[in-house]
Amino acid sequence: MRLATAEINLSALSYNLKRIKELAPDARVMAVLKANAYGHGLVKIAQHLNDADVFAVARIDEALALRAGGLTKPIVLLEGFFNRTDLPILIANNFETIIHDENQLRAIETSQLDARLSVWLKIDTGMHRLGIEPQQFERFYQRLKACDNINPKMKLMTHFSCADDLNSTQTQHQITVFERLVADKPEARCLANSAGVLGWPGSHGDWIRPGLMMYGVSPMLNRVGAEHGLKPVMRLTTRVIAIKTIAAGEKVGYGGRWQSQQQTQLAVVAMGYGDGYPRNVRCGTPVVIREKRYGIVGTVSMDMITVDIGNNPDGIAVGDPVEMWGPALPVEEVAACAGTIPYELLCNVTTRVSYDYLTPTD
Ligand SMILES: *Cc1c(COP(=O)(O)O)cnc(C)c1O
């Protein structure tokens, strides 16, 4: 019996990319595939994103894995390179790099390269993670322009810290800082992550960088993908492996943290933190069995959870499929039950889970 399985719906992926293009019709798309395509499988996902313009990852190894998988589109390294010795790898593989600091720029200026490197100059407009300071911009810009190792068609970018929150003034502030700084430059602009695409149309610019929304999931506070016309790509399922009846007052699971109020039945489900399911979900976090929601009770263990199915009116039986998240149960909701964000749950799916790629029908 097949237990923990991540069904990856590739037609939903194509659908979401189309939806992204409807939302930002004038922008080109940098499809963000870092962290194993947010847990969906790097190469398989990339193979179904022909309509994206370029790919983006966080680490050189992720970019090399895409090349090893036969993908030929340009790949942008979102954190750039970390060492001068990486530069020949970038050139040889048609990787493009973010420039976010002086060391990177100096390494490019003082290296012998076989071809020109394509670069994205990243400006810190308020996130305070990577990026040059606004007051450094003009100087960096001029040095990049003057450098023979660099493709003169550079791109200008920044990253938002609070775009998931429509009530925050931070995003508009960042857009304003960025636009003022680059106002007299002809280069293409790139600002929006998924939350920018969805919530801040004024940020779309020439290039967008959607990640989470491609996978059908909402980055916005208290929203789910379906509210934006997106379809979840991952459906994480498993099966019921035992059913048992317990008397009133019995304690369930490690630490006996949950106690039954009356006689009830428990479905034991083959899913735990060993599969990437979060251990700290609150009591009552839903799963879906036979199209109905039931709540988790007791502690999540490595391989199993226990679900209270009451007097089992629907006749749940051993072998029944259980959806942990997916079309019937948004991962955004499960993340909220675990006090985290859907990004983390998707990335955390472990190698014990089997992946099933459902091929597009359209
Ligand atoms: C991860 C990342 C993105 C994509 O973010 P989402 O919220 O998943 O759309 C965009 N830009 C940068 C720089 C990133 O690191």
Side-chain angles (χ1 to χ4, degrees):
M1 187 162 72
R2 196 104 181 268
L3 298 175
T5 303
E7 288 172 13
I8 306 296
N9 181 342
L10 294 168
S11 47
L13 180 71
S14 314
Y15 182 92
N16 295 334
L17 183 55
K18 257 189 236 141
R19 176 81 186 121
I20 289 166
K21 291 182 170 213
E22 278 168 23
L23 288 165
D26 300 322
R28 279 187 278 176
V29 177
M30 181 193 297
V32 180
L33 300 175
K34 58 195 179 190
N36 194 30
Y38 293 50
H40 291 68
L42 176 65
V43 170
K44 280 285 199 336
I45 291 294
Q47 283 168 341
H48 283 84
L49 289 174
N50 266 328
D51 293 338
D53 296 281
V54 303
F55 296 141
V57 293
R59 308 274 194 261
I60 288 182
D61 284 351
E62 296 174 321
L64 288 170
L66 283 170
R67 287 287 178 262
L71 282 303
T72 56
K73 280 188 205 296
I75 302 172
V76 179
L77 302 172
L78 289 172
E79 297 169 5
F81 59 97
F82 303 99
N83 226 301
R84 146 193 315 277
T85 52
D86 295 332
L87 286 171
I89 305 174
L90 269 53
I91 297 287
N93 290 284
N94 190 22
F95 297 163
E96 305 187 0
T97 184
I98 298 301
I99 301 281
H100 64 80
D101 77 1
E102 170 71 27
N103 290 335
Q104 293 173 319
L105 178 51
R106 198 169 324 115
I108 298 172
E109 284 172 334
T110 57
S111 291
Q112 283 282 77
L113 301 182
D114 292 340
R116 288 180 170 230
L117 199 56
S118 292
V119 304
W120 302 65
L121 178 56
K122 181 160 183 177
I123 305 156
D124 179 2
T125 55
M127 173 82 165
H128 300 322
R129 203 177 52 180
L130 292 185
I132 60 166
E133 296 301 309
Q135 61 272 22
Q136 297 177 289
F137 169 68
E138 191 60 38
R139 177 102 188 94
F140 264 76
Y141 178 86
Q142 297 304 340
R143 279 171 68 188
L144 288 165
K145 280 281 173 200
C147 178
D148 287 341
N149 281 335
I150 289 175
N151 177 345
K153 284 175 90 178
M154 74 173 115
K155 322 283 196 310
L156 305 174
M157 69 178 273
T158 193
H159 191 54
F160 297 137
S161 57
C162 302
D164 59 331
D165 181 359
L166 294 176
N167 295 317
S168 167
T169 56
Q170 170 74 353
T171 306
Q172 192 49 57
H173 171 72
Q174 289 189 261
I175 295 171
T176 305
V177 169
F178 184 80
E179 291 301 342
R180 273 198 203 133
L181 204 58
V182 305
D184 64 342
K185 303 293 188 273
E187 278 78 12
R189 277 91 157 130
C190 177
L191 300 86
N193 53 2
S194 296
V197 173
L198 288 165
W200 306 89
S203 74
H204 289 175
D206 305 291
W207 284 85
I208 53 172
R209 304 189 303 273
L212 191 69
M213 69 184 301
M214 282 196 308
Y215 310 101
V217 177
S218 177
M220 309 307 280
L221 292 174
N222 306 316
R223 305 286 295 274
V224 297
E227 294 172 68
H228 313 297
L230 300 167
K231 296 182 180 176
V233 173
M234 185 190 293
R235 176 168 181 261
L236 183 64
T237 68
T238 185
R239 290 182 188 273
V240 175
I241 56 170
I243 305 244
K244 63 166 47 206
T245 303
I246 57 165
E250 292 297 326
K251 290 180 176 169
V252 173
Y254 284 121
R257 288 197 335 204
W258 182 80
Q259 191 170 24
S260 58
Q261 299 299 302
Q262 64 253 322
Q263 178 182 304
T264 192
Q265 291 184 46
L266 299 178
V268 181
V269 170
M271 172 67 60
Y273 58 83
D275 303 292
Y277 193 81
R279 181 174 178 277
N280 63 337
V281 289
R282 62 168 178 75
C283 180
T285 296
V287 303
V288 174
I289 312 174
R290 299 201 176 193
E291 293 174 15
K292 267 174 60 178
R293 290 180 173 214
Y294 295 92
I296 295 175
V297 295
T299 310
V300 172
S301 48
M302 188 183 289
D303 313 310
M304 282 172 272
I305 54 172
T306 41
V307 175
D308 186 0
I309 57 172
N311 56 10
N312 195 5
D314 295 317
I316 291 170
V318 169
D320 277 1
V322 182
E323 182 169 314
M324 308 306 296
W325 62 66
L329 177 58
V331 65
E332 295 91 325
E333 204 180 320
V334 181
C337 290
T340 186
I341 53 174
Y343 297 80
E344 189 180 18
L345 298 198
L346 295 172
C347 288
N348 277 355
V349 173
T350 67
T351 51
R352 185 166 79 184
V353 175
S354 322
Y355 278 70
D356 251 1
Y357 289 88
L358 315 178
T359 314
T361 48
D362 54 333

